[in-house]
Amino acid sequence: MVGVIMEKLLFPFVSIVGQEDMKKALLLNIVDPSIGGALIKGEKGTAKSTTVRSLSQILPFRETVKGCAFNCDPSKPDRLCPYCSEKLDRGEKLIFEMKPMRVVELPLSATEDRVAGTLDIEHVLKTGEKKFEPGVLAQANGNLLYVDEVNLLDDHIVDLLLDSAAMGVNYIEREGVSFSHPSRFILVGTMNPEEGELRPQLLDRFGLSVDVKGDKDTDTRMEVVKRRVAFDTDPKTYTEKHRVQTEALRERIIKAREMLPRISTDDDIIRAIVTITTNFGIDGHRADITMMKAARANAALDGRDSVTKDDIRAVASLVMSHRMRRRPFEEESFDTEELEKCLQSI
């Protein structure tokens, strides 16, 4: 089954110790879902799943069409599902409601039909009407889709997820009958590299990537243990203790999303981004565009109306670390000194 992560039993996002890059990558995607999602790689026990699932506590509300299985956004009439479009064509009014964004989890065993949905061909042949059973991609529309152990999914399922995330549409065709519906979501994958890597072509399709490791500092590790024990002992009290911080972060995200269209970027910033990606040998233009979007989202989160070099510093490794060319068995690393030289030379 597809699970919608419930908030009340989750460890608070604002109480997670360290892992700042992981938290930043996730927050930037919530501010601007067009960044392209996030891939979080790391050894077991580094709070990857805990952090992603806890996002349900801080995700903002969104307007949807009441009763629509595809969570259609009424403010985007060009992105409505066939059923909502037909209602409008008949002169019916769509009823709206505000719903919180959700974290929808995809189980590792999910089949292609379960992910994409299924067309009832027999019904089509008998009645001439299309009957579609929505899948995970319908539930994910307008929400966050979480895939744990994404590296263990069949490649064709990963391709399907990435294609839908990139195009914002899920297209299904069976026996010459086709159906499509909106499917815009934030794709977040977590994985342990020890269990296998993703193909390079798939890596590049994730907007941001983070490598997480367990902290070696004694005091930090002690704090992780103390917080986890306190939460497990009394989840309700612990969550309530962090309610004010949680709501403050949610409001910060909402303001950043509202501010994003007004964020300005001048040619100097664009030149800096292009210079950096060229210097690091990044192929194509996806990294340039993603870095611009991530830098703008970072500025919005900080409450600023223009992008600076500090925003580039904050997001460069998240954008480029998984896109750099490497020799076989070469360790992944990002040269911050090289980044600084680029920024200083511009």
Side-chain angles (χ1 to χ4, degrees):
M1 289 181 62
V2 177
V4 177
I5 310 303
M6 301 304 292
E7 177 181 339
K8 61 182 179 180
L9 298 178
L10 295 175
F11 191 85
F13 182 90
V14 296
S15 186
I16 292 169
V17 179
Q19 307 298 3
E20 298 305 321
D21 283 347
M22 173 167 56
K23 291 187 283 190
K24 180 179 288 293
L26 294 169
L27 291 176
L28 293 178
N29 269 283
I30 297 172
V31 173
D32 184 0
S34 73
I35 285 173
L39 177 64
I40 302 168
K41 300 181 288 181
E43 58 203 23
K44 57 183 180 293
T46 47
K48 300 187 298 296
S49 297
T50 298
T51 304
V52 177
R53 289 168 175 152
S54 70
L55 288 174
S56 63
Q57 302 165 338
I58 58 171
L59 288 171
F61 281 73
R62 59 185 293 263
E63 193 175 52
T64 64
V65 177
K66 187 174 183 179
C68 177
F70 304 96
N71 304 298
C72 281
D73 182 349
S75 68
K76 303 287 194 306
D78 57 323
R79 299 179 185 174
L80 295 176
C81 71
Y83 302 117
C84 288
S85 294
E86 287 174 7
K87 285 183 178 180
L88 287 181
D89 291 342
R90 292 196 300 266
E92 297 181 28
K93 287 187 177 181
L94 300 178
I95 301 173
F96 309 152
E97 65 177 345
M98 296 298 293
K99 295 170 64 175
M101 288 178 65
R102 303 178 298 167
V103 177
V104 178
E105 189 164 357
L106 177 72
L108 191 59
S109 59
T111 62
E112 183 173 350
D113 282 348
R114 188 68 191 92
V115 174
T118 56
L119 272 166
D120 188 337
I121 302 300
E122 185 177 347
H123 182 82
V124 174
L125 294 174
K126 283 183 178 180
T127 66
E129 296 179 352
K130 294 180 183 179
K131 184 179 181 182
F132 180 73
E133 183 66 31
V136 177
L137 293 177
Q139 297 183 39
N141 186 38
N143 294 307
L144 186 149
L145 179 59
Y146 173 43
V147 186
D148 191 15
E149 298 183 313
V150 64
N151 53 323
L152 301 184
L153 275 181
D154 289 340
D155 282 347
H156 72 282
I157 297 290
V158 178
D159 284 330
L160 176 62
L161 295 175
L162 290 170
D163 285 344
S164 296
M167 296 187 298
V169 175
N170 177 35
Y171 180 83
I172 308 98
E173 184 170 358
R174 301 286 187 274
E175 307 296 333
V177 180
S178 62
F179 185 90
S180 63
H181 67 80
S183 186
R184 296 176 181 272
F185 53 87
I186 302 167
L187 179 63
V188 176
T190 55
M191 57 177 277
N192 183 347
E194 294 176 357
E195 298 171 346
E197 291 283 357
L198 278 177
R199 300 198 317 266
Q201 309 93 293
L202 299 180
L203 277 175
D204 181 56
R205 299 283 293 280
F206 281 94
L208 307 179
S209 179
V210 187
D211 293 289
V212 296
K213 296 179 180 177
D215 204 296
K216 304 301 181 185
D217 179 73
T218 301
D219 290 338
T220 302
R221 292 174 72 93
M222 287 176 61
E223 185 63 24
V224 171
V225 173
K226 288 193 288 185
R227 293 188 187 188
R228 187 71 222 191
V229 170
F231 173 78
D232 289 344
T233 301
D234 189 348
K236 186 175 180 180
T237 299
Y238 190 87
T239 301
E240 180 62 24
K241 178 182 175 182
H242 292 85
R243 183 177 59 81
V244 173
Q245 286 177 280
T246 297
E247 288 303 317
L249 180 55
R250 191 203 296 264
E251 285 301 314
R252 182 182 166 200
I253 291 170
I254 292 171
K255 289 179 180 178
R257 285 164 64 100
E258 293 172 348
M259 189 176 186
L260 188 64
R262 304 192 299 273
I263 302 293
S264 63
T265 50
D266 57 33
D267 283 353
D268 288 341
I269 291 296
I270 298 174
R271 183 174 292 106
I273 289 172
V274 172
T275 300
I276 290 168
T277 55
T278 302
N279 183 81
F280 276 82
I282 308 297
D283 295 327
H285 301 292
R286 185 174 283 144
D288 302 334
I289 296 168
T290 303
M291 195 181 302
M292 173 60 78
K293 290 180 177 181
R296 293 178 78 245
N298 193 72
L301 264 178
D302 286 350
R304 291 179 282 104
D305 59 7
S306 61
V307 175
T308 69
K309 288 184 179 181
D310 284 338
D311 295 307
I312 298 176
R313 286 187 182 93
V315 305
S317 65
L318 304 178
V319 174
M320 293 194 294
S321 63
H322 59 305
R323 293 185 166 97
M324 295 187 297
R325 299 192 195 102
R326 291 184 179 83
R327 298 183 182 90
F329 310 113
E330 185 179 3
E331 285 275 335
E332 289 192 8
S333 62
F334 183 79
D335 192 336
T336 54
E337 292 184 4
E338 186 67 24
L339 171 65
E340 197 57 38
K341 287 179 183 178
C342 288
L343 287 170
Q344 294 299 332
S345 67
I346 301 167

